[in-house]
């Protein structure tokens, strides 16, 4: 039977992986970080540009807030761009255009980790600092910054989903793109936890691709509800997944019997949290993640290094940890868990 429980604090990756002590030095770029600030032009010379998965998505609207605040707080020319649709091709085109404009740094949240490797290599060859987010293991970046350790995040979602499902029954997992590195780590971390600790639960299918599109998530959830009438749970990864899933669950009259959890933010998922069609959402503040990417880029542009314990001066990123198995991947401790009882505490 579906059970609701109070929100609990997310255990971030700092407690679940070994820490290493070596630092990482920027691979290039010595442009003055203030160059181009306030010039009001359309070019990017000397600027810091954050390239997101797509525009018009609530998650990245919130990241835009952080980018704009960082620009205001530092006096550095910074802005955000993204394709109209969440495609690798759209991001590649934007980055190719930026390279010609000679920005000081490009930060990016990739749609396709492998698909961006080549163009990011071109950017670094041009002396541009490159920082990524949600892309552990991506090639041709100076630093990748994560909000937390990804498999621990997925395991935490599964702990909550299992509790809601009474630790039994079938569930499915959604990812924005099968090529999305972080989404893949989240669902794998959740699956590993389920198989180890909740043997009476079972994943019904391989991860379902939503294309970062609420309508796609909705239609696929409808199909799954029809295919598996006894399904008890859904895990979403893209910020729009749980909203599309919840709409299908609510229309099917199963909001009280099917558990829906995953990554989103209150402004996107709030109405379904209130109705009970979404049980919990898990997230980190995209605005703070946007600031963290830019702060790292500025340190590297200025010739500094990122290492164990680096304090970015940003909430959740005050003491970075280096992820085991990577030379240039660092994480903060910025996770949040929200249900209907505390959603109002977050105004985004």
């Amino acid at each position: 039977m579906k059970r609701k429980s109070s929100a609990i604090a997310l255990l971030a990756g700092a407690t679940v992986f070994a820490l290493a002590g070596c630092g990482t030095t920027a691979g290039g770029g010595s442009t003055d970080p203030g160059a181009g600030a306030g010039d009001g032009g359309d070019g990017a010379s000397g600027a810091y540009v954050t390239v997101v998965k797509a525009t018009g998505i609530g998650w990245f609207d919130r990241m835009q807030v952080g980018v704009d605040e960082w620009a205001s707080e530092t006096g550095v020319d910074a802005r955000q761009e993204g394709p109209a649709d969440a495609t690798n091709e759209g991001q590649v085109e934007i980055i190719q255009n930026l390279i010609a404009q000679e920005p000081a740094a490009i930060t990016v949240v990739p749609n396709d980790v492998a698909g961006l490797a080549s163009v990011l290599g071109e950017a670094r060859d041009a002396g541009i600092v490159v920082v990524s987010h949600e892309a552990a293991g991506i090639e041709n970046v100076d630093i990748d910054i994560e909000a937390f350790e990804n498999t621990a995040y997925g395991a935490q979602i599964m702990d909550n989903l299992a509790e809601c499902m009474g630790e039994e029954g079938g569930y499915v997992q959604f990812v924005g793109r099968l090529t999305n590195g972080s989404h893949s780590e989240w669902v794998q971390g959740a699956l590993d936890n389920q198989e180890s600790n909740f043997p009476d639960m079972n994943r019904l299918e391989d991860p379902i691709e939503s294309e970062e599109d609420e309508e796609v998530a909705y239609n696929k959830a409808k199909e799954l509800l029809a295919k598996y009438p006894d399904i008890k749970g859904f895990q979403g990864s893209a910020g729009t997944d749980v909203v599309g899933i919840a709409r299908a669950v609510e229309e099917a009259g199963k909001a009280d019997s099917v558990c829906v959890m995953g990554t989103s933010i209150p402004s996107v998922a709030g109405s379904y949290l209130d109705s009970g069609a979404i049980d919990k959402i898990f997230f980190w503040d995209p605005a703070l993640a946007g600031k963290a990417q830019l702060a790292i880029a500025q340190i590297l542009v200025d010739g500094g290094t990122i290492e164990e314990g680096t304090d970015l001066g940003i909430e959740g990123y005050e003491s970075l940890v280096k992820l085991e198995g990577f030379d240039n991947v660092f994480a903060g401790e910025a996770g949040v868990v929200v249900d209907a009882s505390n959603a109002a505490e977050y105004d985004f």
Side-chain angles (χ1 to χ4, degrees):
M1 181 176 182
K2 182 174 178 177
R3 298 180 293 170
K4 295 186 180 293
S5 60
S6 60
I8 61 176
L10 178 65
L11 297 176
T15 62
V16 295
F17 52 84
L19 305 181
C22 60
T24 302
T25 305
S30 58
T31 308
D32 178 0
D39 63 11
D42 293 331
S45 179
Y48 290 59
V49 185
T50 296
V51 180
V52 298
K53 293 180 181 181
T55 57
I57 295 175
W59 186 271
F60 295 115
D61 289 345
R62 176 63 181 173
M63 188 169 285
Q64 174 87 60
V65 171
V67 171
D68 292 345
E69 286 182 354
W70 187 84
S72 177
E73 292 163 0
T74 62
V76 173
D77 180 15
R79 68 171 188 262
Q80 179 170 299
E81 296 186 14
D85 298 307
T87 65
N88 181 64
E89 293 78 10
Q91 288 188 309
V92 168
E93 182 178 0
I94 288 171
I95 294 168
Q96 286 175 332
N97 289 337
L98 287 173
I99 291 170
Q101 298 172 44
E102 300 181 343
I106 294 172
T107 76
V108 62
V109 188
N111 284 307
D112 184 338
V113 170
L116 283 188
S118 178
V119 73
L120 294 179
E122 294 174 21
R124 292 185 77 205
D125 288 344
I128 300 167
V129 165
V130 178
V131 176
S132 61
H133 176 55
E134 292 189 60
I138 189 171
E139 295 181 2
N140 295 328
V141 304
D142 294 284
I143 295 290
D144 177 77
I145 179 65
E146 302 294 322
F148 34 67
E149 197 276 328
N150 285 317
T151 56
Y153 178 70
Q156 181 73 8
I157 294 174
M158 180 52 65
D159 283 339
N160 284 267
L161 186 64
E163 180 183 11
C164 182
M165 292 173 57
E167 300 186 8
E168 63 180 12
Y171 70 95
V172 294
Q173 298 172 307
F174 278 50
V175 293
R177 299 278 182 187
L178 294 173
T179 54
N180 185 298
S182 293
H183 291 191
S184 297
E185 290 185 82
W186 300 344
V187 297
Q188 189 62 49
L191 177 64
D192 290 345
N193 185 13
Q194 177 263 302
E195 291 180 338
S196 297
N197 298 303
F198 308 108
D200 294 330
M201 294 173 62
N202 64 295
R203 189 174 76 173
L204 298 171
E205 296 192 5
D206 289 340
I208 308 297
E209 189 174 48
S210 69
E211 302 174 20
E212 303 273 349
D213 188 312
E214 177 185 331
E215 198 68 20
V216 174
Y218 163 71
N219 286 318
K220 290 190 175 182
K222 283 178 64 177
E223 294 172 4
L224 289 161
L225 288 162
K227 184 177 181 179
Y228 303 106
D230 295 326
I231 191 171
K232 294 186 66 176
F234 287 84
Q235 176 189 344
S237 298
T240 50
D241 283 352
V242 290
V243 178
I245 293 165
R247 179 153 59 103
V249 167
E250 200 165 72
E251 287 180 2
K254 294 188 174 184
D256 291 333
S257 60
V258 175
C259 299
V260 178
M261 298 186 182
T263 303
S264 194
I265 52 177
S267 63
V268 173
S271 63
Y272 290 109
L273 285 168
D274 290 340
S275 74
I278 296 175
D279 296 275
K280 288 184 181 179
I281 56 173
F282 303 74
F283 61 94
W284 60 105
D285 187 345
L288 297 178
K291 288 184 175 184
Q293 294 171 70
L294 292 165
I296 287 172
Q298 187 177 40
I299 290 170
L300 299 181
V301 168
D302 286 346
T305 60
I306 303 300
E307 55 192 25
E308 190 82 27
T310 293
D311 181 1
L312 299 181
I314 297 164
E315 183 180 355
Y317 301 88
E318 297 99 333
S319 183
L320 299 185
V321 291
K322 184 176 181 293
L323 297 197
E324 184 179 8
F326 299 99
D327 292 331
N328 64 343
V329 181
F330 291 81
E333 192 169 351
V336 180
V337 182
V338 163
D339 62 13
S341 71
N342 66 335
E345 298 174 15
Y346 301 89
D347 60 351
F348 58 88

